[in-house]
């Protein structure tokens, strides 16, 4: 997928941190990604907090890594599948209504002027007051059997953002060709590859035992 030089692919985040001795970059960056998952807003000591995990076409697919916590025993001869590699965006707000609306996994997120930092040597993005976090998706819900959305017309997209600028000024900053390409790529990626490690899955019958294990 083609990107302008002003947009950083997710695979470049770690090299950028390494070039800066793993310190947070002073210069803000812009990234586009596809929503893999997100949390509902939660109240911290001073602000509301929301996290979004994103992937793009440069993100690696799952391979070998540490298993997630589970009560299910994995046979020693079976490989342990990695959690799906992704990048986390952290957003804070004084009012929970100020967060962008995510309708589902597969939505596209445009993060403008965000800070690149690391958490336990893993790249992490943090939105600042000057940041714009824009969520994009087709304006029309796709019906079964209908072809994938394919449009660069802003009028045919759903838009939700944390932007300081006006709605129309915000639309002018979006690379619609990139958003459209990522959205279409994301639909195929989410349907063809795992979105969670199988070791993170837990049956209803094991929920009680799992909670007891955590409490112990």
């Amino acid at each position: 997928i083609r990107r302008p030089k002003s947009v950083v692919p997710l695979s470049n985040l770690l090299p950028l941190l390494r070039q800066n001795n793993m310190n947070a970059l002073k210069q803000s960056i812009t990234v586009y990604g596809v929503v893999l998952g997100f949390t509902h807003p939660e109240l911290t000591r001073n602000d509301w907090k929301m996290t979004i995990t994103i992937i793009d076409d440069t993100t690696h697919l799952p391979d070998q890594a540490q298993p997630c916590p589970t009560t299910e025993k994995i046979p020693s001869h079976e490989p342990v599948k990695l959690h799906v590699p992704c990048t986390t965006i952290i957003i804070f707000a004084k009012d929970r209504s100020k967060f962008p609306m995510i309708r589902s996994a597969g939505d596209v997120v445009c993060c403008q002027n965000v800070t690149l930092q690391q958490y336990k040597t893993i790249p992490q993005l943090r939105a600042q007051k000057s940041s714009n976090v824009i969520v994009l998706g087709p304006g029309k819900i796709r019906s079964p059997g209908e072809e994938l959305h394919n449009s660069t017309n802003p009028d045919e997209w759903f838009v939700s953002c944390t932007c300081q600028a006006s709605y129309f000024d915000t639309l002018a900053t979006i690379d619609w060709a990139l958003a459209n390409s990522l959205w279409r790529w994301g639909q195929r990626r989410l349907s063809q590859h795992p979105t969670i490690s199988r070791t993170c899955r837990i049956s209803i019958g094991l929920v009680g035992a799992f909670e007891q294990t955590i409490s112990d």
Side-chain angles (χ1 to χ4, degrees):
I1 296 177
R2 294 184 178 181
R3 294 169 176 76
K5 292 183 178 180
S6 58
V7 176
V8 181
L10 297 184
S11 61
N12 284 9
L13 299 184
L14 184 56
L16 284 174
L17 282 172
R18 286 173 173 165
Q19 291 172 15
N20 202 41
N21 296 318
M22 296 305 289
N23 296 315
L25 270 62
K26 293 183 178 179
Q27 184 176 0
S28 59
I29 63 173
T30 293
V31 303
Y32 281 65
V34 173
V35 175
L36 182 68
F38 60 96
T39 65
H40 291 288
E42 59 178 341
L43 187 61
T44 62
R45 181 175 299 180
N46 299 311
D47 299 297
W48 289 89
K49 174 186 174 182
M50 177 181 182
T51 62
I52 307 172
T53 53
I54 60 173
I55 55 177
D56 71 6
D57 56 306
T58 69
T59 304
H60 292 298
L61 293 174
D63 54 17
Q64 303 301 308
Q66 293 291 324
C68 295
T70 178
T71 55
E72 179 186 0
K73 293 183 178 180
I74 306 299
S76 58
H77 64 276
E78 289 191 17
V80 176
K81 294 297 182 181
L82 174 66
H83 67 284
V84 179
C86 58
T87 300
T88 299
I89 310 163
I90 302 177
I91 313 172
F92 290 95
K94 293 294 183 183
D95 187 336
R96 64 181 300 171
S97 66
K98 299 299 182 181
F99 291 112
M101 181 190 303
I102 298 176
R103 298 185 301 180
S104 67
D107 284 347
V108 172
V109 181
C110 168
C111 305
Q112 301 172 340
N113 302 320
V114 292
T115 296
L116 173 60
Q117 58 190 27
Q118 60 98 0
Y119 177 72
K120 296 182 178 180
T121 72
I122 298 175
Q124 184 182 78
L125 300 170
R126 181 185 176 107
Q128 307 296 334
K129 290 183 178 180
S130 60
S131 303
N132 293 331
V133 179
I134 310 167
V135 177
L136 308 166
K140 179 184 176 183
I141 302 299
R142 178 168 166 252
S143 301
E146 189 176 355
E147 292 187 2
L148 287 178
H149 175 83
N150 188 15
S151 173
T152 57
N153 182 352
D155 294 336
E156 297 180 2
W157 286 79
F158 160 83
V159 180
S160 178
C161 70
T162 61
C163 307
Q164 307 297 323
S166 71
Y167 177 77
F168 292 103
D169 288 341
T170 298
L171 296 186
T173 67
I174 297 170
D175 187 321
W176 293 102
L178 175 56
N180 185 58
S181 295
L182 272 174
W183 186 86
R184 290 174 60 81
W185 169 86
Q187 305 312 298
R188 296 188 293 271
R189 166 66 179 80
L190 296 178
S191 64
Q192 295 174 1
H193 298 281
T195 58
I196 187 172
S197 167
R198 74 178 185 83
T199 57
C200 291
R201 298 170 189 166
I202 189 167
S203 67
I204 296 298
L206 291 174
V207 169
F210 182 60
E211 292 177 342
Q212 182 63 41
T213 300
I214 295 176
S215 63
D216 293 343

